[in-house]
Amino acid sequence: MMNQTKPVFARRNFLKYSLIGLGSVAGLAAVGVGVFNTNQYRDKYGKLMVLDGHLADIVHAFAEAAMPVGNGFPTIEEAEVVKRMDEELFFISENIQSDFKAVLYLVELLPFAYGKMSRFSRLPREERIELLEKTADTENDLTRVAVANARMVTRLMYYGHPSSWKAIGYDGPFGNIPEQLSEQRKYYASITKV
């Protein structure tokens, strides 16, 4: 009589490990969606071309921490920081867009480097401000430069909006000539209409 050997990897084991593997992948995907997917701010801005999805949340949270509040200063929504930043990023090269998105994701995960178990956009405003102050003195050049550049772009959007001018004592353009929208701005407005 012939001696039958049992297969090393039987069908039952194959099915068992396949289901465990699929369950693990599904679980990791659910965690990933939960970690990187919030609707905290993005619904306020309508259709965005570059800062879609979670990037709108990161920019809004960063701007809230980097810009002044009260005393006549506008809110981030009033100054249209996220929408204007999206518009400016839309008209530049994809390489620069990609680099700026990388900076935003670095900012989003920065709290983990400082021992906090939360993403930047989910921290209370006071903790976000404290974290940004810490990054100004860090010896890590990448972190310092990334945060400084994100702050610079945010300031350009915030202080370039007429809603902030009174608070900083700026009278507006010489001669009070009304703003004329460029063809680019008209095009952006037409494609982001909801």
Side-chain angles (χ1 to χ4, degrees):
M1 199 172 208
M2 196 172 192
N3 188 8
Q4 288 186 325
T5 58
K6 195 173 183 181
V8 177
F9 204 65
R11 187 181 331 177
R12 181 173 281 185
N13 283 342
F14 174 74
L15 290 173
K16 175 179 149 184
Y17 291 123
S18 295
L19 289 174
I20 289 172
L22 286 173
S24 299
V25 168
L28 287 173
V31 168
V33 168
V35 167
F36 286 105
N37 192 16
T38 62
N39 291 316
Q40 195 169 2
Y41 303 112
R42 77 182 88 150
D43 294 336
K44 295 179 180 184
Y45 298 108
K47 184 177 180 182
L48 298 172
M49 302 306 293
V50 178
L51 298 175
D52 56 343
H54 184 61
L55 292 170
D57 292 346
I58 299 169
V59 170
H60 184 99
F62 183 85
E64 274 186 337
M67 298 294 103
V69 173
N71 296 329
F73 284 97
T75 64
I76 301 310
E77 293 94 344
E78 291 168 342
E80 299 178 324
V81 172
V82 176
K83 192 77 170 167
R84 286 286 294 129
M85 191 180 297
D86 185 69
E87 181 180 340
E88 293 297 327
L89 288 170
F90 180 70
F91 291 107
I92 60 177
S93 76
E94 288 184 17
N95 291 338
I96 297 173
Q97 287 178 11
S98 177
D99 289 348
F100 194 75
K101 287 178 182 181
V103 165
L104 293 176
Y105 283 120
L106 176 100
V107 166
E108 180 70 340
L109 299 176
L110 199 56
F112 293 104
Y114 286 88
K116 297 193 180 292
M117 297 309 292
S118 176
R119 294 180 293 128
F120 186 84
S121 61
R122 289 192 178 173
L123 289 173
R125 182 175 183 269
E126 296 74 29
E127 289 185 40
R128 284 183 264 149
I129 292 170
E130 179 184 318
L131 186 65
L132 292 181
E133 289 171 357
K134 285 180 184 176
T135 62
D137 296 327
T138 184
E139 291 182 13
N140 184 324
D141 291 337
L142 175 65
T143 300
R144 190 174 60 254
V145 169
V147 171
N149 284 315
R151 191 186 303 258
M152 180 198 62
V153 173
T154 304
R155 285 179 177 161
L156 286 171
M157 300 303 117
Y158 185 81
Y159 291 119
H161 194 273
S163 65
S164 68
W165 295 351
K166 187 176 180 182
I168 61 174
Y170 177 56
D171 296 332
F174 182 72
N176 290 323
I177 299 170
E179 179 182 18
Q180 294 181 359
L181 294 180
S182 68
E183 291 303 315
Q184 282 183 326
R185 295 199 69 192
K186 288 177 187 175
Y187 175 71
Y188 179 84
S190 72
I191 63 173
T192 56
K193 242 182 228 177
V194 180

